[in-house]
Every structure is written in C-alpha cells, then in structure tokens.
Amino acid sequence: MSSGPRLASKRRTRTWGTDFALALSPQRDACIYPNVASTTEFNLSETAAVLSRTPAALDALLRGLPDTWVRRSEGNDTWSAFDIVGHLANLERTDWMARLRRILQDGEARPFERVDRFAQLKESQGKSLAQLLDDFARLRRENLAELQALNLQPDDFTRRGQHPALGVVTLAQLLATWAAHDLTHLHQLSRVMAYQYRDAVGPWSVFLGVLQCDGHSAPP
Amino acid sequence: MSSGPRLASKRRTRTWGTDFALALSPQRDACIYPNVASTTEFNLSETAAVLSRTPAALDALLRGLPDTWVRRSEGNDTWSAFDIVGHLANLERTDWMARLRRILQDGEARPFERVDRFAQLKESQGKSLAQLLDDFARLRRENLAELQALNLQPDDFTRRGQHPALGVVTLAQLLATWAAHDLTHLHQLSRVMAYQYRDAVGPWSVFLGVLQCDGHSAPP
C-alpha cells in the first residue's frame, strides 16, 4: 500500500518539504540547519538524513570484503556482518513502514505485528552480500520515498500506536528508533568485525574499546 | 621518508602483490579469497581491505549530516563525530606509518613516539567536517600506497618494535591494530550518534544495545 486513510491534517509547509528533500540528498551542507532540535529531540529531516545514508555507508564498508570480515560472527548464535545486513533489509520489508501505516490507520486499536529477528537467516539463504546490500538500499529508498509522500506534519508525530511488548509508543518514537536501530547495528557490526582480530592486535587489545564491548543488542 | 633501510628479505611474490592490489579495490569479489586466515590471525591483504574502505564508509555516513549528528558528543570531555574523524586523520599523519618505519629502521632499539590523542582538537580548528573527511581519505590513500610499496613479506610481520607503554609489539600487531582502531572508532561513532536520540526513541531504548553501551575507548 502507499498511503491509506490519513486522519491528521495534510497541510503542507513548503519549508518542511524542502527540508525533507534536502535531508535525502547527501550533498547538502550542514549549515542549512541553523535551528536544529535540542539534544535527543526528534526531528524528521534529521532522522531522514541518517536513514538515507546508512545503505551507502554499509556498502562502502562491506562490499567485496573477504569472508573473514563478512561471514564470521562472535561465536555460537551470534550474527555476522552478512546476517546484520540481511536483518536490516528484512525490517525494511516487514517492520518500520508497516508499523507507521498501522499507527496512521488504526492508532492504538490494533497492536503492531511482532518482528521476526531471525527471518533473515532463511531469507538470505543463497544470496550474496552484494545482493543483500542492493536489497537493503532499494528497500530503504522506496520506504523513504513513501515516507516523504506521506508528508507528515508535526502534529502527526504525537499519534500513538500499540507495541506488542512495550505498550503505547508514538509515531515520532518509531521514526527515531528506525534511525537509532541503524546505529545499533553499525555498533554491532564494528564489534563483530573487530572481534576477528581480537588476538591479532596483541597487547594493543587493552586500548581498543571495541574489544572490551560484550555486546548489548536486543530485539527491536 | 619512503622506505629507509630494510633488514628483511625483499623478495617479491607476484601473488602477494596482486592480493594487495585487489584488497585496495573495493570492486573485487570476496571469492578471490578461498583460503582466508583462520580467525583472529593477521593477514595483510585482509587488513588493507578494511583500511582502504573506512574513509569512504565514514564519508557516506557523515558528509552533509546536520550538526545534531556531527558536532554533538556524549557530554563533557567526550568526542563528537567531528572529533573522531579529526583523530583518525591525525593518526594517519603521525602514528601508523611512522611506527611501521620505526620498526623497520630501528627495531626495538628506539621506542615509538607517544600519540597525542587530543592533537585533533587543535588541528581541526576552523576546518569543516568535509575538509576532515577529505584529509583522512587522502592521508589514508597515501599511507596505503607507501605500505604497498614497502612490499612486506610474511617474515617481516614478526619484526619487533618497542611501544612506550605496552613494551614489545610486532609489525603484524601494529597493522592489525591500525584496522581494529578504525573499527573501534566506528563503534564509538555509532554510539555517539545514537546518544543524540536516547530520549527520542522512548520505550524502545531498552531494545537498542547501542544505548546500553557505556563506552570503553582508551588511547591507541
């Protein structure tokens, strides 16, 4: 689906639309944001700025890397870089925009579907990392185009939905979590990769914070 | 300097040179590495594969982002994304290749210079993030070209140097640490960025591992 019934105002401010378009263009300069939100406050164009960059960042980091970095995990039942990219692609398909539409259509009346954190283990079978990176980039691009088309306004951000485990959440919290979820998996990815050199670095390991991290990821 | 006196063999194996060149090309496919080193074992071409990708990954992630993501830190005396990129650029100038040359020229006889972890706070003054990203990419490219020209062979990897705090280290450990250091700062960067949305995500914070990370970076 592309939009579905919208209950909130559809007024469009030219500035807001321009901000969003600029956020999707990595070429823009930071100085177009003279009045950024105060720390930890949600801002749609800032959120979109992160969301639009993650696929290219992962692509630049991972495409073509040898299997040591891509296919190895931290041991039993932990994820490799390959698994992480598959997970990100899977949630683009099943989670973020589906939950956003649910909030817009049903509010708190109908809880979100639960996320299958292991779907990618099956879904990625037979695919290459390059295919997963392509999938993720395409799905993210499509989702951001749909998000932009929704033309959300500030009073939409307080609309509420029902998370199956967390209870009431707002649309702004969902969007902020979408961006922070990219960052939590970038955090995990850098740790999983560094883990492959945990012995190779010798005595330097005491100085490398990433090797002291025992991981703290949990379901989104 | 470009090479300096070399004590080890200078024999060149065509395969090794080819591997290194391929490692520097992000377009190559992972399948050219049928016999990757076992976990946590140092491998020059695998190390170069990470080192060559970090500047583009940081560029894709950060260039043009609003100041919320780039200039904010985790509070007093912690680093922003801007500071982290400045630090990476600074160490390209002052640390990794200087230490490698020191090992080749002086072995354990002359300890490495100490690193100034705060040099970038002064060095980055008046620069934009875009300039720091450009600096880092150029310096890394130059360093990898110099590394490739040294044509290191497996028996060079056990050559020893003297770290001012850690004592004896090997050339392989230095190179492995160079790559792991990129990853430790990618780990830090994702945490610093996520921190800016620590409240915006609302109840989802319990599921976002990066928000549970209390940081563990220490001097390189």
Side-chain angles (χ1 to χ4, degrees):
Chain A
M1 68 141 262
S2 63
S3 61
R6 295 279 317 284
L7 300 176
S9 146
K10 290 214 181 193
R11 69 186 175 283
R12 182 180 180 90
T13 62
R14 191 167 175 280
T15 312
W16 186 256
T18 306
D19 267 8
F20 194 101
L22 286 166
L24 298 179
S25 160
Q27 279 71 47
R28 84 197 186 296
D29 194 83
C31 70
I32 67 162
Y33 291 85
N35 302 306
V36 292
S38 64
T39 303
T40 208
E41 200 172 284
F42 170 77
N43 173 300
L44 180 58
S45 62
E46 286 177 10
T47 301
V50 168
L51 290 171
S52 65
R53 280 164 175 77
T54 308
L58 291 180
D59 200 286
L61 185 66
L62 297 175
R63 191 178 292 260
L65 272 185
D67 280 355
T68 295
W69 303 117
V70 168
R71 292 287 189 159
R72 290 186 180 162
S73 69
E74 295 167 292
N76 290 342
D77 298 327
T78 64
W79 289 2
S80 65
F82 181 86
D83 298 326
I84 292 167
V85 177
H87 170 68
L88 288 168
N90 174 259
L91 292 205
E92 291 302 304
R93 267 193 204 92
T94 61
D95 185 14
W96 307 108
M97 288 303 292
R99 289 179 168 193
L100 190 140
R101 289 179 214 120
R102 180 70 54 91
I103 292 177
L104 294 176
Q105 290 172 346
D106 300 303
E108 297 171 60
R110 201 172 149 215
F112 303 150
E113 306 301 325
R114 286 184 182 274
V115 166
D116 179 359
R117 288 183 67 239
F118 300 98
Q120 75 280 358
L121 301 183
K122 193 172 171 189
E123 200 174 79
S124 304
Q125 272 181 1
K127 292 197 174 184
S128 65
L129 176 70
Q131 285 174 298
L132 294 183
L133 288 166
D134 290 341
D135 286 353
F136 177 46
R138 178 180 50 77
L139 292 161
R140 174 61 58 89
R141 201 165 47 241
E142 290 169 3
N143 282 336
L144 288 176
E146 183 182 342
L147 179 63
Q148 183 171 20
L150 285 172
N151 189 26
L152 297 173
Q153 298 301 316
D155 55 2
D156 290 325
F157 299 152
T158 54
R159 297 177 71 170
R160 294 149 65 105
Q162 188 72 234
H163 187 285
L166 298 171
V168 173
V169 292
T170 67
L171 192 148
Q173 288 165 349
L174 174 69
L175 291 171
T177 301
W178 192 2
H181 180 264
D182 280 5
L183 296 169
T184 211
H185 284 292
L186 188 61
H187 190 251
Q188 177 190 26
L189 175 66
S190 57
R191 191 188 69 231
V192 173
M193 290 176 69
Y195 181 81
Q196 311 313 323
Y197 265 18
R198 65 197 179 282
D199 297 329
V201 298
W204 264 292
S205 64
V206 296
F207 286 162
L208 292 163
V210 68
L211 294 177
Q212 320 311 321
C213 182
D214 57 4
H216 11 237
S217 286
Chain B
M1 67 141 262
S2 62
S3 62
R6 296 278 316 284
L7 300 176
S9 144
K10 290 213 179 194
R11 70 185 174 282
R12 184 181 179 90
T13 63
R14 191 167 176 280
T15 313
W16 186 255
T18 306
D19 266 10
F20 194 101
L22 285 165
L24 298 180
S25 160
Q27 279 70 47
R28 83 196 186 296
D29 194 83
C31 70
I32 68 162
Y33 290 86
N35 302 306
V36 292
S38 64
T39 304
T40 206
E41 202 172 281
F42 170 76
N43 174 301
L44 180 58
S45 62
E46 285 177 11
T47 302
V50 168
L51 290 172
S52 64
R53 280 164 174 77
T54 308
L58 291 179
D59 200 286
L61 185 66
L62 297 175
R63 190 178 292 262
L65 273 184
D67 280 355
T68 295
W69 303 117
V70 168
R71 292 287 188 160
R72 290 185 180 162
S73 69
E74 295 167 292
N76 290 342
D77 298 327
T78 65
W79 289 2
S80 65
F82 182 85
D83 297 327
I84 292 168
V85 177
H87 170 68
L88 289 167
N90 174 258
L91 292 205
E92 291 301 304
R93 266 193 204 93
T94 62
D95 186 16
W96 307 108
M97 288 304 291
R99 289 179 168 192
L100 190 141
R101 287 180 216 120
R102 180 70 54 92
I103 292 176
L104 295 176
Q105 290 172 345
D106 300 304
E108 297 171 61
R110 202 173 149 215
F112 303 150
E113 306 300 324
R114 286 184 182 273
V115 165
D116 178 359
R117 288 183 68 240
F118 300 99
Q120 75 280 358
L121 301 182
K122 192 172 173 190
E123 200 174 80
S124 304
Q125 272 181 3
K127 291 197 175 184
S128 66
L129 176 70
Q131 286 174 297
L132 294 183
L133 288 165
D134 290 342
D135 286 352
F136 177 46
R138 178 179 49 78
L139 292 162
R140 174 61 58 88
R141 201 165 47 240
E142 290 169 2
N143 283 337
L144 288 177
E146 184 182 342
L147 178 64
Q148 184 172 19
L150 285 172
N151 189 27
L152 297 173
Q153 298 302 317
D155 55 3
D156 290 323
F157 300 152
T158 53
R159 296 178 71 170
R160 294 147 66 106
Q162 189 71 234
H163 187 285
L166 298 170
V168 173
V169 292
T170 67
L171 192 148
Q173 288 166 348
L174 174 68
L175 291 171
T177 301
W178 191 2
H181 180 265
D182 280 5
L183 296 169
T184 212
H185 285 293
L186 188 61
H187 190 251
Q188 177 190 27
L189 175 66
S190 57
R191 190 188 70 231
V192 173
M193 289 177 69
Y195 181 81
Q196 312 313 322
Y197 265 18
R198 63 197 179 282
D199 297 329
V201 299
W204 264 293
S205 63
V206 296
F207 286 163
L208 292 163
V210 68
L211 295 177
Q212 320 311 321
C213 182
D214 57 4
H216 13 236
S217 286

